[in-house]
Amino acid sequence: MEHLSSLFNGLARSLSIRKGKNCEIDVGREAAEAMTKDAKRNDLILRSPGIVNVDGSKNFASIFSKRGKKGVNQDCFIVWEEFGCQADMIFCGVFDGHGPWGHFVAKEVRNSMPASLLCNWQEIVALTSLDPGCEVESIKKLHPFDIWKESYIKTCAAIDQELEQHPRIDSYYSGTTALTIVRQGELIVIANVGDSRAVLATTSDDGSLVPVQLTIDFKPNLPQEAERITQCRGRVFCLKDEPGVHRVWLPEEETPGLAMSRAFGDYCVKDYGIVSVPEVTQRNITSRDQFVVLATDGVWDVISNQEAVDVVSATPERAKSAKWLVEYAGSAWRRKKCGIAMDDISAICLFLHPSSPHEPVDSVSL
């Protein structure tokens, strides 16, 4: 908890915080606002391809994206090192747009989520730390995961509400998934909206690398998802020419045919069971955990978790690991889905332990 304690103590000194019930809330808000100013100033987050790389960072991520055969690439991603100006934090995310405006929706969510999440996180940290009558040291009693979970829930609700009112993006029949993780020291927090997937590679007792799936693919046929959709009068079924591909439909129309049960946007079916509520989970990193793969469904539709772990671990250079994985998935599409247009394929490989002096983030799009 040292990072939280030092973060708050620094703010306390800079704001000359006084103890007392009457000033606690106001000071907490001032602290939150002070902490978010740097994030809002950082316009690098809005620059394609969505990377904020910090010199000397010990984090290492490889990123690669390949356009499918359906038109413009609607995937996008982000890696933000020293997230929140904290040396031990990093934010990563992949966003898979769909529908006519899907690429715009995906980029809008990518651009707004980090700063919004950071703002909510910092505000909760500041306000919780200033409970009346408590010493600053009481911050050590906070549970970081609970703070992140509440922050993510608030962030996703706000983003979806703002997206509906966006003056230049039509999200009525378009949307995006969002799979993001925050690494804070030895804690990783995973938040998933949609059917992208995060897989951890960890070392088993026999020394081999094995996958641990960190997220659920939120497809409409999952029992809890299907129940929510049908209770809201939405329909879930497969088309005759797409056996096994469950989609969400309006009560009396064969539209929009959404292939996931959670998404930002898609307001045509928001009243019929589609939600933007994230599933937020955590994992404490151990010496056995090697890397995390975050990838859109274009990867997982054609390769297994074990295959992904094997491909990444076999790549001679970490910088090329995401490219190898994406290219491998592209080859699998051609073998396994002959005649079906290849989806956009994107992946981030976040390595959890340094293997050499700092390597720069590798990012390539095709």
Side-chain angles (χ1 to χ4, degrees):
M1 306 299 296
E2 291 181 1
H3 58 285
L4 287 177
S5 182
S6 61
L7 168 67
F8 182 76
N9 286 336
L11 283 166
R13 286 192 298 272
S14 65
L15 294 171
S16 301
I17 292 177
R18 304 180 308 277
K19 294 185 179 67
K21 293 184 179 181
N22 294 333
C23 68
E24 298 291 350
I25 298 301
D26 288 340
V27 171
R29 286 177 181 150
E30 288 179 31
E33 290 173 2
M35 284 190 288
T36 57
K37 283 182 179 178
D38 285 340
K40 291 181 178 179
R41 289 195 201 103
N42 193 349
D43 64 352
L44 285 174
I45 206 65
L46 302 177
R47 299 180 188 174
S48 179
I51 296 172
V52 177
N53 182 221
V54 178
D55 290 338
S57 170
K58 294 181 180 179
N59 294 298
F60 181 79
S62 175
I63 305 174
F64 197 82
S65 182
K66 187 170 187 174
R67 181 173 60 87
K69 302 297 182 181
K70 300 178 181 179
V72 64
N73 190 344
Q74 295 190 305
D75 290 354
C76 61
F77 42 67
I78 183 170
V79 172
W80 188 345
E81 297 182 342
E82 293 194 5
F83 188 54
C85 301
Q86 302 300 296
D88 67 342
M89 280 171 53
I90 185 170
F91 177 90
C92 302
V94 291
F95 307 84
D96 183 357
H98 52 264
W101 290 71
H103 49 302
F104 295 111
V105 178
K107 288 181 179 178
E108 177 65 22
V109 175
R110 181 201 68 180
N111 292 348
S112 59
M113 180 174 284
S116 178
L117 177 66
L118 187 59
C119 180
N120 284 318
W121 176 76
Q122 291 170 332
E123 183 175 9
I124 293 171
V125 168
L127 293 177
T128 307
S129 306
L130 288 164
D131 285 340
C134 294
E135 298 292 333
V136 170
E137 288 301 310
S138 67
I139 196 169
K140 293 181 179 179
K141 298 178 182 179
L142 294 177
H143 298 286
F145 172 68
D146 294 330
I147 296 175
W148 282 116
K149 184 174 182 179
E150 183 178 349
S151 302
Y152 261 116
I153 291 172
K154 289 178 64 177
T155 295
C156 291
I159 288 175
D160 207 39
Q161 185 176 22
E162 292 167 4
L163 187 62
E164 187 175 16
Q165 306 300 323
H166 199 287
R168 296 181 301 278
I169 298 177
D170 184 355
S171 302
Y172 191 72
Y173 287 109
S174 299
T176 188
T177 66
L179 169 61
T180 65
I181 67 171
V182 173
R183 177 178 180 175
Q184 183 181 31
E186 299 309 304
L187 172 70
I188 54 174
V189 179
I190 311 101
N192 187 34
V193 176
D195 58 357
S196 294
R197 185 186 304 172
V199 173
L200 171 77
T202 192
T203 308
S204 65
D205 291 337
D206 64 7
S208 62
L209 277 182
V210 295
V212 176
Q213 187 166 323
L214 300 176
T215 56
I216 296 171
D217 301 345
F218 284 112
K219 301 289 190 180
N221 58 316
L222 287 177
Q224 71 273 21
E225 302 295 289
E227 181 179 4
R228 183 187 68 246
I229 293 166
T230 54
Q231 285 182 349
C232 294
R233 298 194 306 117
R235 297 182 296 159
V236 177
F237 61 86
C238 305
L239 296 176
K240 291 181 180 179
D241 59 349
E242 287 185 318
V245 181
H246 292 80
R247 297 182 180 274
V248 180
W249 311 88
L250 290 170
E252 298 177 356
E253 301 177 49
E254 289 198 4
T255 187
L258 197 62
M260 71 284 301
S261 57
R262 302 191 186 195
F264 291 97
D266 297 304
Y267 299 106
C268 64
V269 282
K270 275 290 160 67
D271 291 334
Y272 300 99
I274 298 300
V275 298
S276 59
V277 179
E279 180 197 50
V280 186
T281 56
Q282 66 175 324
R283 182 181 177 95
N284 290 313
I285 300 169
T286 71
S287 59
R288 290 192 171 197
D289 300 335
Q290 301 303 314
F291 57 83
V292 178
V293 174
L294 290 80
T296 56
D297 63 332
V299 171
W300 311 114
D301 282 348
V302 291
I303 68 173
S304 68
N305 294 347
Q306 186 65 61
E307 284 179 288
V309 167
D310 291 343
V311 170
V312 173
S313 62
T315 308
E317 301 176 49
R318 282 185 171 186
K320 302 298 181 184
S321 57
K323 180 179 180 180
W324 274 43
L325 179 60
V326 169
E327 296 290 9
Y328 183 90
S331 297
W333 265 91
R334 291 187 286 272
R335 294 195 314 271
K336 299 179 180 182
K337 292 182 175 287
C338 184
I340 299 177
M342 188 177 74
D343 199 358
D344 302 326
I345 307 174
S346 301
I348 297 176
C349 301
L350 175 64
F351 292 88
L352 303 175
H353 306 291
S355 64
S356 62
H358 175 66
E359 303 166 275
V361 170
D362 176 68
S363 173
V364 186
S365 297
L366 291 181

